[in-house]
Coordinates of all heavy atoms in Angstrom, one line a residue:
M7 N 101.2 89.1 108.0 CA 100.4 90.0 107.2 C 101.2 91.3 107.0 O 101.8 91.8 107.8 CB 99.0 90.3 107.8 CG 98.1 89.3 107.8 SD 96.5 89.9 108.5 CE 95.6 90.5 107.1
L8 N 101.0 91.9 105.8 CA 101.5 93.1 105.5 C 100.6 94.3 106.3 O 99.4 94.0 106.3 CB 101.6 93.6 104.1 CG 102.6 92.7 103.2 CD1 102.4 93.1 101.8 CD2 104.0 93.1 103.7
A9 N 101.2 95.3 106.7 CA 100.4 96.4 107.3 C 99.4 96.9 106.3 O 98.3 97.3 106.6 CB 101.3 97.5 107.8
K10 N 99.7 96.8 105.0 CA 98.8 97.3 103.9 C 97.5 96.4 104.0 O 96.4 97.0 103.9 CB 99.4 97.2 102.5 CG 98.5 97.5 101.4 CD 99.4 97.2 100.2 CE 98.6 97.5 98.9 NZ 97.3 96.9 98.7
D11 N 97.6 95.1 104.1 CA 96.5 94.2 104.1 C 95.7 94.5 105.4 O 94.4 94.5 105.3 CB 97.0 92.7 104.1 CG 97.7 92.5 102.7 OD1 97.2 93.1 101.7 OD2 98.6 91.6 102.8
I12 N 96.3 94.6 106.6 CA 95.6 94.9 107.8 C 94.9 96.2 107.6 O 93.6 96.3 108.1 CB 96.7 94.9 108.9 CG1 97.2 93.5 109.2 CG2 95.9 95.4 110.2 CD1 98.5 93.6 110.1
A13 N 95.5 97.2 107.2 CA 94.8 98.6 107.0 C 93.6 98.4 106.1 O 92.5 99.0 106.5 CB 95.8 99.6 106.5
D14 N 93.8 97.7 105.0 CA 92.6 97.5 104.1 C 91.5 96.8 104.7 O 90.3 97.1 104.7 CB 93.0 96.7 102.8 CG 94.0 97.5 101.9 OD1 94.0 98.8 102.0 OD2 94.7 96.9 101.0
S15 N 91.8 95.7 105.5 CA 90.7 95.0 106.1 C 90.1 95.7 107.2 O 88.9 95.4 107.6 CB 91.2 93.7 106.6 OG 92.0 93.8 107.7
H16 N 90.7 96.8 107.8 CA 90.1 97.5 108.9 C 89.6 99.0 108.4 O 89.2 99.8 109.2 CB 91.0 97.7 110.1 CG 91.2 96.4 110.9 ND1 90.5 96.1 111.9 CD2 92.1 95.4 110.6 CE1 90.8 95.0 112.3 NE2 91.8 94.5 111.6
N17 N 89.5 99.0 107.1 CA 89.1 100.3 106.5 C 89.9 101.5 106.9 O 89.3 102.6 107.2 CB 87.6 100.6 106.5 CG 86.7 99.4 106.0 OD1 87.0 99.1 104.9 ND2 85.8 98.9 106.7
K18 N 91.2 101.3 107.0 CA 92.1 102.4 107.4 C 93.1 102.6 106.3 O 93.4 101.8 105.4 CB 92.8 102.0 108.7 CG 91.9 101.9 109.8 CD 92.7 101.9 111.1 CE 91.8 101.6 112.3 NZ 90.6 102.5 112.5
K19 N 93.6 103.7 106.3 CA 94.7 104.0 105.2 C 96.0 103.5 105.7 O 96.3 103.4 107.0 CB 94.8 105.5 105.1 CG 93.6 106.3 104.5 CD 93.9 107.7 104.4 CE 92.7 108.4 103.7 NZ 92.8 109.7 103.4
L20 N 96.8 103.1 104.9 CA 98.1 102.6 105.2 C 98.9 103.4 106.0 O 99.6 103.1 106.9 CB 98.9 102.1 103.9 CG 100.3 101.5 104.1 CD1 100.3 100.4 105.1 CD2 101.0 101.3 102.8
K21 N 98.8 104.7 105.6 CA 99.7 105.7 106.4 C 99.2 105.8 107.8 O 100.0 106.1 108.7 CB 99.7 107.0 105.7 CG 99.0 108.2 106.2 CD 99.2 109.3 105.4 CE 98.0 110.3 105.2 NZ 98.3 111.5 104.5
T22 N 97.9 105.5 108.0 CA 97.4 105.5 109.5 C 97.9 104.4 110.2 O 98.4 104.4 111.3 CB 95.9 105.5 109.5 OG1 95.4 106.7 108.8 CG2 95.3 105.6 110.9
A23 N 97.8 103.2 109.7 CA 98.3 101.9 110.2 C 99.8 102.1 110.5 O 100.3 101.8 111.7 CB 98.2 100.8 109.4
N24 N 100.6 102.7 109.6 CA 102.1 102.8 109.8 C 102.3 103.8 110.9 O 103.2 103.6 111.7 CB 102.8 103.4 108.6 CG 103.0 102.2 107.4 OD1 103.0 101.1 107.8 ND2 103.2 102.6 106.2
R25 N 101.5 105.0 111.0 CA 101.6 105.8 112.1 C 101.4 105.2 113.4 O 102.2 105.5 114.4 CB 100.7 107.0 111.9 CG 100.9 108.1 112.9 CD 100.1 109.3 112.7 NE 98.7 109.1 113.2 CZ 97.7 109.0 112.4 NH1 97.8 109.4 111.2 NH2 96.4 108.7 112.8
Y26 N 100.4 104.4 113.5 CA 100.2 103.6 114.8 C 101.3 102.8 115.1 O 101.8 102.7 116.4 CB 98.9 102.8 114.6 CG 97.7 103.6 114.7 CD1 96.5 103.1 114.1 CD2 97.4 104.7 115.4 CE1 95.2 103.7 114.1 CE2 96.2 105.3 115.5 CZ 95.1 104.8 114.8 OH 93.8 105.4 114.9
I27 N 101.9 102.1 114.2 CA 103.0 101.3 114.4 C 104.3 102.0 114.8 O 105.0 101.8 115.9 CB 103.3 100.4 113.2 CG1 102.4 99.3 112.8 CG2 104.8 99.7 113.3 CD1 102.4 98.7 111.5
N28 N 104.5 103.3 114.2 CA 105.7 104.0 114.4 C 105.6 104.7 115.8 O 106.5 104.8 116.5 CB 105.9 105.1 113.4 CG 106.3 104.4 112.1 OD1 107.0 103.4 112.0 ND2 105.9 105.1 110.9
C29 N 104.3 105.1 116.2 CA 104.2 105.7 117.5 C 104.1 104.8 118.7 O 104.3 105.2 119.8 CB 102.9 106.6 117.4 SG 103.0 107.9 116.4
N30 N 104.1 103.5 118.3 CA 104.0 102.4 119.4 C 105.0 101.3 119.2 O 104.8 100.2 119.6 CB 102.7 101.8 119.4 CG 101.5 102.8 119.8 OD1 101.4 103.1 121.0 ND2 100.9 103.4 118.8
K31 N 106.2 101.7 118.6 CA 107.3 100.8 118.4 C 107.7 100.1 119.6 O 108.1 98.8 119.5 CB 108.5 101.4 117.6 CG 108.3 101.6 116.2 CD 109.5 101.0 115.5 CE 109.2 101.0 114.0 NZ 110.4 101.5 113.3
E32 N 107.6 100.7 120.7 CA 108.1 100.0 122.0 C 107.3 98.8 122.4 O 107.8 97.9 123.1 CB 108.3 101.0 123.1 CG 107.0 101.5 123.6 CD 106.3 102.6 122.8 OE1 106.9 103.1 121.9 OE2 105.1 102.9 123.2
R33 N 106.1 98.7 121.9 CA 105.1 97.6 122.1 C 105.4 96.4 121.3 O 104.9 95.3 121.5 CB 103.7 98.1 122.0 CG 103.4 99.3 123.0 CD 102.0 99.5 122.9 NE 101.6 100.7 123.6 CZ 101.3 100.6 124.9 NH1 101.3 99.4 125.5 NH2 101.0 101.7 125.6
F34 N 106.2 96.5 120.1 CA 106.5 95.4 119.2 C 107.9 94.9 119.5 O 108.8 95.7 119.6 CB 106.3 96.0 117.8 CG 104.9 96.4 117.5 CD1 104.6 97.7 117.5 CD2 104.0 95.6 117.0 CE1 103.4 98.1 117.1 CE2 102.6 95.8 116.7 CZ 102.3 97.2 116.9
K35 N 108.0 93.6 119.3 CA 109.4 93.0 119.4 C 109.9 93.0 117.9 O 109.2 92.3 117.0 CB 109.4 91.7 120.1 CG 109.2 91.7 121.5 CD 109.4 90.4 122.1 CE 109.1 90.5 123.6 NZ 109.4 89.2 124.3
I36 N 110.8 93.8 117.6 CA 111.4 93.8 116.3 C 111.9 92.4 115.9 O 112.6 91.8 116.6 CB 112.5 94.9 116.2 CG1 112.0 96.3 116.6 CG2 113.0 95.0 114.7 CD1 110.8 96.8 115.9
N37 N 111.7 92.1 114.7 CA 111.9 90.8 114.1 C 111.2 89.5 114.7 O 111.6 88.4 114.4 CB 113.5 90.5 114.1 CG 114.2 91.6 113.2 OD1 113.7 92.1 112.1 ND2 115.5 92.0 113.6
I38 N 110.3 89.9 115.5 CA 109.4 88.8 116.2 C 107.9 89.2 115.7 O 107.3 88.4 115.2 CB 109.6 88.7 117.6 CG1 111.1 88.1 117.9 CG2 108.6 87.7 118.2 CD1 111.5 88.0 119.3
D39 N 107.5 90.3 116.3 CA 106.2 90.8 116.1 C 106.1 91.6 114.7 O 105.1 91.6 114.0 CB 105.7 91.9 117.1 CG 105.7 91.2 118.5 OD1 105.4 90.0 118.6 OD2 105.9 91.9 119.5
I40 N 107.2 92.3 114.4 CA 107.1 93.1 113.2 C 108.5 93.1 112.6 O 109.6 93.1 113.1 CB 106.7 94.5 113.6 CG1 106.5 95.3 112.4 CG2 107.7 95.1 114.5 CD1 105.8 96.6 112.8
I41 N 108.5 93.1 111.2 CA 109.8 93.2 110.4 C 109.5 94.3 109.3 O 108.4 94.4 108.7 CB 110.1 92.0 109.6 CG1 110.3 90.8 110.6 CG2 111.2 92.1 108.7 CD1 110.4 89.4 109.9
D42 N 110.5 95.3 109.3 CA 110.3 96.3 108.2 C 111.1 95.8 106.9 O 112.4 95.7 107.0 CB 110.9 97.6 108.8 CG 110.8 98.8 107.7 OD1 110.3 98.5 106.5 OD2 111.1 99.9 108.1
L43 N 110.3 95.4 106.0 CA 111.0 94.8 104.8 C 112.0 95.8 104.0 O 112.9 95.4 103.4 CB 110.0 94.4 103.8 CG 109.2 93.2 104.4 CD1 108.2 92.8 103.2 CD2 110.0 92.0 104.7
K44 N 111.8 97.0 104.3 CA 112.7 98.1 103.7 C 114.0 98.1 104.4 O 115.0 98.7 103.9 CB 112.1 99.4 103.7 CG 110.9 99.5 102.8 CD 110.9 100.0 101.4 CE 111.8 101.2 101.1 NZ 111.4 102.1 100.1
Q45 N 114.0 97.6 105.7 CA 115.3 97.7 106.5 C 116.1 96.4 106.6 O 117.2 96.3 106.9 CB 114.9 98.2 108.0 CG 114.2 99.4 108.0 CD 115.0 100.5 107.5 OE1 116.1 100.7 107.7 NE2 114.3 101.5 106.7
V46 N 115.5 95.3 106.0 CA 116.2 94.0 106.1 C 117.2 94.0 105.0 O 117.1 94.5 103.9 CB 115.1 92.9 105.6 CG1 115.8 91.5 105.5 CG2 114.0 92.8 106.6
T47 N 118.5 93.5 105.3 CA 119.6 93.7 104.4 C 119.4 93.0 103.1 O 119.9 93.4 102.2 CB 120.9 93.1 105.2 OG1 120.6 91.8 105.6 CG2 121.3 94.0 106.3
D48 N 118.7 91.9 103.1 CA 118.5 91.2 101.9 C 117.0 91.3 101.4 O 116.4 90.3 101.1 CB 118.9 89.7 102.0 CG 118.8 89.0 100.7 OD1 119.0 89.6 99.6 OD2 118.6 87.7 100.7
S49 N 116.5 92.5 101.5 CA 115.1 92.7 101.2 C 114.8 92.6 99.8 O 113.6 92.6 99.4 CB 114.7 94.1 101.8 OG 115.3 95.1 101.1
H50 N 115.8 92.7 98.9 CA 115.4 92.7 97.4 C 114.6 91.6 97.0 O 113.7 91.9 96.3 CB 116.8 92.7 96.6 CG 116.6 92.6 95.2 ND1 116.2 93.8 94.5 CD2 116.6 91.7 94.2 CE1 116.1 93.5 93.2 NE2 116.3 92.2 93.0
S51 N 114.8 90.5 97.5 CA 113.9 89.3 97.1 C 112.5 89.5 97.6 O 111.5 89.2 96.9 CB 114.4 88.0 97.5 OG 114.5 87.8 98.8
F52 N 112.3 90.0 98.8 CA 111.0 90.3 99.5 C 110.3 91.3 98.6 O 109.1 91.2 98.2 CB 110.9 90.8 100.8 CG 111.5 89.8 101.8 CD1 112.6 89.9 102.6 CD2 110.6 88.7 102.1 CE1 113.1 89.1 103.5 CE2 111.1 87.7 103.0 CZ 112.3 87.9 103.7
L53 N 110.9 92.3 98.3 CA 110.3 93.4 97.5 C 110.0 93.0 96.0 O 109.0 93.5 95.5 CB 111.3 94.7 97.6 CG 111.5 95.3 98.9 CD1 112.6 96.4 98.8 CD2 110.3 95.7 99.6
K54 N 110.9 92.3 95.5 CA 110.6 91.7 94.1 C 109.3 91.0 94.2 O 108.5 91.0 93.2 CB 111.8 91.0 93.6 CG 111.5 90.4 92.3 CD 112.8 89.7 91.7 CE 112.7 89.2 90.3 NZ 111.5 88.9 89.7
Q55 N 109.2 90.1 95.1 CA 107.9 89.2 95.3 C 106.7 90.1 95.5 O 105.6 89.8 94.9 CB 108.1 88.3 96.5 CG 108.8 87.1 96.2 CD 109.0 86.2 97.4 OE1 108.4 86.5 98.4 NE2 109.7 85.1 97.2
L56 N 106.8 91.2 96.2 CA 105.6 92.1 96.4 C 105.3 92.8 95.0 O 104.1 92.9 94.7 CB 105.9 93.2 97.4 CG 106.2 92.8 98.8 CD1 106.6 93.9 99.7 CD2 104.9 92.2 99.3
K57 N 106.3 93.2 94.2 CA 106.1 93.7 92.9 C 105.5 92.6 91.9 O 104.5 92.9 91.3 CB 107.3 94.3 92.4 CG 107.2 95.0 91.0 CD 108.5 95.4 90.5 CE 109.3 94.3 89.8 NZ 108.8 93.6 88.7
D58 N 106.2 91.5 91.9 CA 105.8 90.5 91.0 C 104.4 89.8 91.3 O 103.6 89.4 90.3 CB 106.8 89.3 90.9 CG 108.2 89.7 90.5 OD1 108.2 90.7 89.8 OD2 109.1 89.0 90.6
N59 N 103.9 90.0 92.5 CA 102.6 89.4 92.8 C 101.6 90.5 92.8 O 100.5 90.3 93.4 CB 102.7 88.7 94.2 CG 103.4 87.4 94.1 OD1 103.1 86.6 93.1 ND2 104.4 87.1 94.8
Y60 N 101.9 91.6 92.4 CA 100.9 92.9 92.3 C 100.4 93.3 93.6 O 99.2 93.7 93.6 CB 99.8 92.5 91.2 CG 100.4 92.1 89.9 CD1 100.3 90.8 89.5 CD2 100.7 93.0 89.0 CE1 100.8 90.4 88.3 CE2 101.3 92.6 87.8 CZ 101.3 91.4 87.4 OH 101.7 91.0 86.1
I61 N 101.3 93.1 94.6 CA 100.8 93.5 96.0 C 101.2 95.1 96.2 O 100.3 95.8 96.6 CB 101.5 92.7 97.1 CG1 101.0 91.2 97.0 CG2 101.2 93.2 98.5 CD1 101.8 90.2 97.7
L62 N 102.3 95.4 95.6 CA 102.6 96.9 95.6 C 103.4 97.1 94.3 O 104.1 96.2 93.8 CB 103.7 97.2 96.8 CG 103.3 97.1 98.2 CD1 104.4 97.2 99.1 CD2 102.2 98.1 98.4
T63 N 103.3 98.3 93.8 CA 103.9 98.6 92.6 C 105.4 99.2 92.9 O 105.7 99.6 94.1 CB 103.1 99.8 91.9 OG1 103.2 101.0 92.6 CG2 101.7 99.4 91.5
L64 N 106.2 99.4 92.0 CA 107.5 99.9 92.2 C 107.5 101.3 92.7 O 108.2 101.8 93.6 CB 108.4 100.0 90.9 CG 109.1 98.7 90.5 CD1 109.7 98.7 89.1 CD2 109.9 98.2 91.6
V65 N 106.5 102.1 92.3 CA 106.3 103.5 92.8 C 105.8 103.5 94.3 O 106.5 104.2 95.1 CB 105.3 104.2 91.9 CG1 104.9 105.6 92.5 CG2 105.6 104.4 90.5
Q66 N 104.9 102.5 94.5 CA 104.5 102.4 96.0 C 105.9 102.1 96.9 O 106.0 102.6 97.9 CB 103.4 101.4 96.1 CG 102.1 101.9 95.6 CD 101.1 100.9 95.7 OE1 101.4 99.7 95.3 NE2 99.8 101.2 96.1
I67 N 106.5 101.1 96.5 CA 107.7 100.6 97.2 C 108.7 101.8 97.3 O 109.2 101.9 98.4 CB 108.3 99.4 96.5 CG1 107.4 98.2 96.6 CG2 109.8 99.1 97.2 CD1 107.9 96.9 95.7
G68 N 108.9 102.5 96.4 CA 109.9 103.6 96.4 C 109.5 104.8 97.2 O 110.2 105.5 97.8
N69 N 108.1 105.0 97.3 CA 107.5 106.2 98.0 C 107.4 106.1 99.5 O 107.2 106.9 100.3 CB 106.3 106.6 97.4 CG 106.4 107.3 96.1 OD1 107.5 107.8 95.8 ND2 105.4 107.3 95.2
V70 N 107.4 104.8 100.0 CA 107.2 104.6 101.5 C 108.5 104.3 102.2 O 109.6 104.0 101.7 CB 106.3 103.4 101.8 CG1 105.0 103.7 101.2 CG2 106.8 102.0 101.2
N71 N 108.5 104.7 103.5 CA 109.7 104.5 104.3 C 109.8 103.2 104.9 O 110.9 102.7 105.2 CB 109.8 105.7 105.4 CG 110.0 107.1 104.9 OD1 110.7 107.3 103.8 ND2 109.4 108.0 105.5
H72 N 108.6 102.6 105.2 CA 108.6 101.4 105.8 C 107.5 100.5 105.0 O 106.5 101.0 104.7 CB 108.1 101.5 107.2 CG 108.9 102.6 108.1 ND1 110.0 102.2 108.6 CD2 108.6 103.8 108.3 CE1 110.5 103.2 109.1 NE2 109.6 104.2 109.1
I73 N 107.8 99.1 105.0 CA 106.9 98.1 104.6 C 106.9 97.1 105.7 O 107.8 96.3 105.7 CB 107.4 97.6 103.2 CG1 107.4 98.6 102.1 CG2 106.4 96.4 102.9 CD1 107.8 98.0 100.7
Y74 N 105.9 97.2 106.5 CA 105.9 96.4 107.6 C 105.2 95.0 107.5 O 104.1 95.0 106.8 CB 105.0 97.0 108.9 CG 105.9 98.3 109.4 CD1 105.3 99.5 109.4 CD2 107.1 98.1 110.0 CE1 106.0 100.5 110.0 CE2 107.8 99.2 110.5 CZ 107.2 100.4 110.5 OH 107.9 101.6 111.1
L75 N 105.9 93.9 107.9 CA 105.3 92.6 107.9 C 105.1 92.3 109.3 O 106.0 92.3 110.1 CB 106.3 91.7 107.2 CG 105.9 90.2 107.1 CD1 104.6 90.1 106.2 CD2 107.1 89.4 106.7
L76 N 103.8 92.0 109.7 CA 103.5 91.6 111.2 C 103.3 90.1 111.2 O 102.6 89.5 110.4 CB 102.3 92.4 111.6 CG 102.5 93.9 111.8 CD1 102.3 94.7 110.5 CD2 101.6 94.4 112.8
S77 N 103.6 89.5 112.4 CA 103.3 88.2 112.7 C 101.9 88.2 113.3 O 101.3 89.2 113.4 CB 104.3 87.7 113.8 OG 104.2 88.4 115.0
E78 N 101.4 87.0 113.6 CA 100.1 87.0 114.2 C 100.1 87.8 115.5 O 99.2 88.5 115.8 CB 99.7 85.6 114.5 CG 98.2 85.4 115.1 CD 97.9 84.0 115.3 OE1 98.6 83.1 114.9 OE2 96.7 83.8 115.7
R79 N 101.1 87.6 116.2 CA 101.2 88.3 117.6 C 101.3 89.8 117.3 O 100.7 90.7 118.0 CB 102.5 87.7 118.3 CG 102.7 88.5 119.5 CD 103.9 87.8 120.3 NE 104.7 88.8 120.9 CZ 105.5 88.4 121.9 NH1 105.7 87.2 122.3 NH2 106.2 89.4 122.6
G80 N 102.1 90.2 116.3 CA 102.3 91.6 116.0 C 100.9 92.3 115.6 O 100.5 93.4 115.9
Y81 N 100.1 91.4 114.8 CA 98.9 91.9 114.4 C 97.9 92.1 115.5 O 97.2 93.1 115.6 CB 98.2 90.9 113.3 CG 96.8 91.0 112.9 CD1 96.3 92.3 112.3 CD2 95.8 90.0 113.1 CE1 95.0 92.4 112.0 CE2 94.5 90.2 112.6 CZ 94.2 91.3 112.1 OH 92.9 91.6 111.7
L82 N 97.9 91.1 116.4 CA 97.0 91.3 117.6 C 97.3 92.4 118.5 O 96.5 93.2 119.0 CB 97.1 90.0 118.4 CG 96.4 88.8 117.7 CD1 96.7 87.6 118.7 CD2 95.0 88.9 117.5
K83 N 98.7 92.8 118.5 CA 99.2 94.0 119.2 C 98.6 95.2 118.5 O 98.2 96.3 119.1 CB 100.6 94.0 119.4 CG 101.2 93.1 120.4 CD 102.7 93.1 120.5 CE 103.1 92.2 121.5 NZ 104.6 92.3 121.8
L84 N 98.7 95.2 117.2 CA 98.2 96.5 116.4 C 96.7 96.6 116.6 O 96.2 97.8 116.7 CB 98.6 96.2 114.9 CG 98.2 97.4 114.0 CD1 98.8 98.7 114.5 CD2 98.7 97.1 112.6
L85 N 96.0 95.5 116.7 CA 94.6 95.6 116.9 C 94.1 96.3 118.2 O 93.2 97.0 118.3 CB 93.8 94.1 116.9 CG 93.9 93.5 115.7 CD1 93.1 92.1 115.8 CD2 93.1 94.2 114.5
K86 N 95.0 96.1 119.2 CA 94.8 96.7 120.5 C 95.0 98.2 120.3 O 94.2 99.0 121.0 CB 95.7 96.3 121.6 CG 95.4 94.9 122.1 CD 96.3 94.7 123.2 CE 95.9 93.4 123.9 NZ 96.6 93.3 125.3
I87 N 95.8 98.7 119.4 CA 95.9 100.2 119.3 C 94.9 100.6 118.3 O 94.4 101.8 118.6 CB 97.4 100.3 118.6 CG1 98.5 99.8 119.4 CG2 97.6 101.7 118.2 CD1 99.8 99.7 118.8
F88 N 94.4 99.9 117.4 CA 93.3 100.4 116.6 C 92.0 100.8 117.3 O 91.4 101.8 117.0 CB 92.9 99.4 115.5 CG 93.8 99.3 114.3 CD1 93.7 98.3 113.3 CD2 94.8 100.2 114.0 CE1 94.4 98.2 112.2 CE2 95.6 100.1 112.9 CZ 95.3 99.3 112.0
K89 N 91.6 99.9 118.3 CA 90.4 100.1 119.1 C 89.2 100.4 118.3 O 88.4 101.3 118.5 CB 90.8 101.3 120.0 CG 91.8 101.2 121.0 CD 92.0 102.4 121.8 CE 93.1 102.2 122.8 NZ 93.4 103.4 123.7
D90 N 89.0 99.7 117.1 CA 87.8 99.8 116.5 C 86.9 98.5 116.6 O 87.3 97.6 117.3 CB 88.1 100.1 114.9 CG 88.8 99.0 114.3 OD1 89.0 97.9 114.9 OD2 89.3 99.1 113.1
D91 N 85.6 98.6 116.1 CA 84.7 97.5 116.3 C 85.2 96.2 115.7 O 85.2 95.2 116.5 CB 83.3 97.9 115.7 CG 82.7 99.0 116.4 OD1 82.9 99.2 117.7 OD2 81.8 99.7 115.8
K92 N 85.8 96.3 114.5 CA 86.3 95.1 114.0 C 87.5 94.4 114.9 O 87.5 93.2 114.9 CB 86.9 95.2 112.6 CG 87.2 94.0 111.9 CD 87.4 94.1 110.5 CE 87.7 92.8 109.8 NZ 87.8 92.9 108.3
S93 N 88.3 95.3 115.4 CA 89.4 94.8 116.2 C 88.7 94.0 117.5 O 89.3 93.0 117.9 CB 90.2 95.9 116.8 OG 90.8 96.5 115.7
W94 N 87.7 94.5 118.1 CA 87.0 94.0 119.3 C 86.4 92.6 118.8 O 86.6 91.5 119.5 CB 86.0 94.8 119.8 CG 86.6 95.8 120.8 CD1 86.8 97.2 120.5 CD2 87.1 95.7 122.0 NE1 87.3 97.8 121.5 CE2 87.6 97.0 122.5 CE3 87.2 94.6 122.8 CZ2 88.2 97.0 123.7 CZ3 87.7 94.7 124.1 CH2 88.2 95.9 124.6
E95 N 85.9 92.5 117.6 CA 85.4 91.2 117.1 C 86.5 90.1 117.0 O 86.3 88.9 117.4 CB 84.7 91.4 115.8 CG 83.4 92.2 115.9 CD 82.9 92.4 114.6 OE1 83.2 91.8 113.5 OE2 82.0 93.5 114.5
I96 N 87.6 90.5 116.5 CA 88.8 89.6 116.2 C 89.3 89.2 117.5 O 89.6 88.1 117.8 CB 89.8 90.2 115.3 CG1 89.2 90.4 114.0 CG2 91.1 89.3 115.2 CD1 89.9 91.2 112.9

């Protein structure tokens, strides 16, 4: 899942979800729990798909430093950090 989708489903701003991820990077295994699509060497195809499928606009892609993709395990780790009611339900 993209951090954007997770933030939306938990009624949080994307920048809040990204901040939680950035402040807790040591808790995530890079390229297992989380992948930053802006840092992947061949990210052009990923970013093009995000644009072509109307997930993010070119402006949004250009304005952010990170586009995080989380595995199921990464998502569950992020839920522990969120500490909201929906996280407890999941």
Side-chain angles (χ1 to χ4, degrees):
M7 284 183 90
L8 290 173
K10 176 188 182 305
D11 297 325
I12 294 168
D14 290 345
S15 68
H16 287 268
N17 298 315
K18 298 194 182 305
K19 293 183 179 182
L20 175 58
K21 104 173 148 177
T22 301
N24 283 343
R25 186 179 72 242
Y26 284 150
I27 292 168
N28 291 330
C29 290
N30 293 280
K31 276 233 174 138
E32 71 280 354
R33 298 188 185 274
F34 297 96
K35 290 187 178 183
I36 305 302
N37 297 325
I38 295 173
D39 297 331
I40 192 166
I41 297 171
D42 185 352
L43 295 178
K44 296 261 322 216
Q45 303 301 319
V46 176
T47 54
D48 187 26
S49 65
H50 179 72
S51 61
F52 290 118
L53 299 177
K54 184 177 182 329
Q55 286 180 356
L56 293 175
K57 180 187 78 63
D58 291 348
N59 291 308
Y60 304 102
I61 296 169
L62 294 172
T63 66
L64 280 177
V65 172
Q66 289 172 316
I67 291 169
N69 285 340
V70 295
N71 294 325
H72 307 282
I73 299 176
Y74 290 121
L75 178 67
L76 288 87
S77 66
E78 181 178 0
R79 179 177 146 161
Y81 173 54
L82 294 173
K83 287 182 178 185
L84 183 58
L85 289 183
K86 284 185 165 189
I87 299 166
F88 277 175
K89 298 180 183 175
D90 61 10
D91 289 338
K92 185 168 184 172
S93 299
W94 279 102
E95 289 174 22
I96 294 172

